[in-house]
Amino acid sequence: MRVRRCAVLWLEPRETAQFQLEDLLSGGTGIVSQVGWRAHAPQFDEALPVDEDDVLLLGRLSPVDWIDDGPLRAKHGAARLRTLLRAGLLIGQGKAWRAQRLADDELRAQHWYGLSAVAHARSRWVGLDAAREVAEAGMDTAAGLRKHYGPPPPTLMERGPADERVRLPRAVPTALDALFDQRSTCRNFDTEAVLSQVQFAHVVERVFSARGQVHGADDFNMLKKTSPSGGAMHPTEAYFIVHRVEGLAPGLYHYHSVEHALQPLPWEGTPEALRAFARLAVGGQHWFSDSPVQVALVPRFARNYWKYQNHPKAYRVAILDIGHLSQTLLVTATELGLGAYITAAINEVDIEQAFGLTSYVESPLAVCGFGLRADTMTTSEFDPNRKIWPRKPK
């Protein structure tokens, strides 16, 4: 059989510490540190423990060239090769290793830059209630943060004497300035109000719809949208969690940007289960999951990486895409008198499972939401201009 190394692999020397009574009794501190190796690959849910012989073997193999496994079995043993093949660190051409080979082939087809792929895989959350953990640690207030972390870095960067600065003329405020001043992350949604379909469609169309198409060559089409996108590739898909939108059944949807239409996706749970998933999606931040609609911003990585193959900046461009879209969404919602938010504190793995996504093919980088604000503020919001709170009578 012929084998090669998996497409992307990062071997990490990791130090772990554990208490050992024998060390304490012999005059030590009782805390013994050991260094072991972990193997990271984007298609793994977690890092895999490997030993030094595995590291030497994997480090000598090409991720591109296939070689006969006979000399490897003779030198390292058949059992070691089987373990690495079963894990997917080694890729074999035999039928027994077809599943691992197909996963590796699919990852290769995305054209990830290796370090970006590993960073993306290892920074995803699953089942984390981040809001509860922050509250329990007393870090849900500015004072709590300062007590925990110490003084923050300066608010402003001073790079020279003040009297040498060139003062610039102030712009004459326009309606756009007023709109920007009104934008404030909403943490208090009206949990009973139903968002009108007209308002919902307005936000979705302005943010995600295709405003035009350009035929490049053969099957290469480029879209025009309201937000910029690296290389005009527009890789980000919009996956919706709908709770209270006029004319839409609660559930999961995918948006078709050319037809300006929603595709219902399978959801067999109750409304209560949908609300529980919505809260899980945003890491337990109930003030965000209270919104009548949430949208996961999900890049199709191959759409970007087809043009920027194995490029060290390609993942950064995908992240920028999310930032552009979210700003357009927040400003559009503000113009309509709606509250809106974006958060990257999300459980990516749970969102992927609900929408049927593969992490290295499509994966959420952030979640936005929008809807009608509540009349009272129960969760603190940062609104230094006081354009939102206190709420004005309707």
Side-chain angles (χ1 to χ4, degrees):
M1 183 178 72
R2 295 170 67 78
V3 297
R4 67 182 178 186
R5 204 192 71 209
C6 63
V8 175
L9 177 64
W10 174 45
L11 294 166
E12 174 201 9
R14 181 184 297 181
E15 184 178 28
T16 57
Q18 59 183 6
F19 175 77
Q20 289 189 3
L21 181 61
E22 295 83 356
D23 181 76
L24 182 65
L25 295 176
S26 62
T29 63
I31 305 299
V32 178
S33 297
Q34 292 181 323
V35 175
W37 288 91
R38 297 292 186 275
H40 298 262
Q43 63 268 41
F44 301 161
D45 290 332
E46 57 187 1
L48 303 179
V50 291
D51 62 26
E52 292 182 357
D53 290 334
D54 294 330
V55 171
L56 289 174
L57 168 58
L58 293 167
R60 290 171 178 164
L61 293 179
S62 168
V64 178
D65 300 324
W66 295 96
I67 63 171
D68 185 78
D69 71 339
L72 296 177
R73 280 189 283 109
K75 184 175 182 178
H76 299 279
R80 184 178 298 277
L81 258 65
R82 281 196 301 273
T83 299
L84 295 176
L85 285 163
R86 189 178 301 114
L89 295 168
L90 273 184
I91 304 301
Q93 291 184 329
K95 292 182 179 179
W97 317 113
R98 184 173 182 272
Q100 291 89 337
R101 186 172 63 254
L102 290 178
D104 188 67
D105 287 345
E106 188 175 30
L107 175 63
R108 290 172 187 269
Q110 309 306 309
H111 301 293
W112 276 90
Y113 180 67
L115 290 178
S116 297
V118 172
H120 173 74
R122 292 289 84 84
S123 60
R124 291 154 54 243
W125 290 354
V126 56
L128 184 65
D129 191 336
R132 177 179 57 80
E133 292 187 3
V134 167
E136 289 178 351
M139 294 190 293
D140 51 348
T141 64
L145 282 171
R146 195 184 188 286
K147 180 179 179 181
H148 188 84
Y149 291 121
T155 303
L156 300 175
M157 174 62 73
E158 306 285 350
R159 294 298 299 271
D163 59 3
E164 294 181 2
R165 295 172 193 156
V166 179
R167 266 54 179 188
L168 301 175
R170 293 283 183 177
V172 177
T174 69
L176 184 58
D177 293 290
L179 181 62
F180 282 139
D181 285 343
Q182 291 170 18
R183 192 213 61 75
S184 177
T185 296
C186 182
R187 292 177 173 84
N188 295 273
F189 287 97
D190 187 330
T191 58
E192 301 296 328
V194 175
L195 184 65
S196 77
Q197 191 172 112
V198 171
Q199 289 179 310
F200 171 78
H202 186 150
V203 174
V204 172
E205 182 173 19
R206 180 179 288 177
V207 179
F208 300 111
S209 73
R211 318 282 279 202
Q213 294 191 66
V214 176
H215 181 65
D218 296 332
D219 56 356
F220 179 33
N221 292 323
M222 293 180 290
L223 302 177
K224 168 66 177 178
K225 295 189 177 183
T226 54
S227 296
S229 183
M233 300 309 293
H234 293 288
T236 304
E237 300 291 328
Y239 286 90
F240 285 89
I241 309 171
V242 171
H243 302 284
R244 303 181 306 280
V245 177
E246 179 188 26
L248 291 178
L252 307 182
Y253 296 85
H254 172 254
Y255 179 67
H256 193 292
S257 63
V258 173
E259 295 183 4
H260 185 45
L262 292 176
Q263 179 67 52
L265 299 177
W267 176 261
E268 298 178 356
T270 63
E272 291 74 18
L274 185 67
R275 287 193 291 272
F277 165 62
R279 182 167 178 167
L280 178 65
V282 292
Q285 299 173 94
H286 62 84
W287 49 88
F288 287 154
S289 62
D290 282 343
S291 61
V293 58
Q294 295 159 279
V295 52
L297 305 181
V298 180
R300 283 186 297 132
F301 298 112
R303 177 69 181 172
N304 254 12
Y305 301 170
W306 167 83
K307 184 174 183 179
Y308 305 110
Q309 297 194 4
N310 308 103
H311 198 295
K313 300 292 186 182
Y315 186 58
R316 186 177 297 185
V317 170
I319 296 172
L320 285 171
D321 211 65
I322 302 299
H324 297 319
L325 290 167
S326 63
Q327 173 69 347
T328 304
L329 186 149
L330 267 61
V331 172
T332 299
T334 302
E335 182 186 44
L336 296 178
L338 304 174
Y341 67 85
I342 178 174
T343 179
I346 63 175
N347 281 305
E348 294 91 342
V349 176
D350 298 288
I351 296 172
E352 290 161 1
Q353 291 173 351
F355 286 104
L357 310 175
T358 300
S359 64
Y360 48 86
V361 178
E362 293 179 90
S363 183
L365 297 186
V367 170
C368 292
F370 55 96
L372 296 170
R373 284 181 174 273
D375 291 329
T376 57
M377 181 169 60
T378 57
T379 301
S380 179
E381 290 187 14
F382 302 102
D383 181 27
N385 290 335
R386 289 180 167 77
K387 298 291 185 179
I388 303 300
W389 302 105
R391 297 285 283 152
K392 297 178 177 60
K394 294 180 181 179

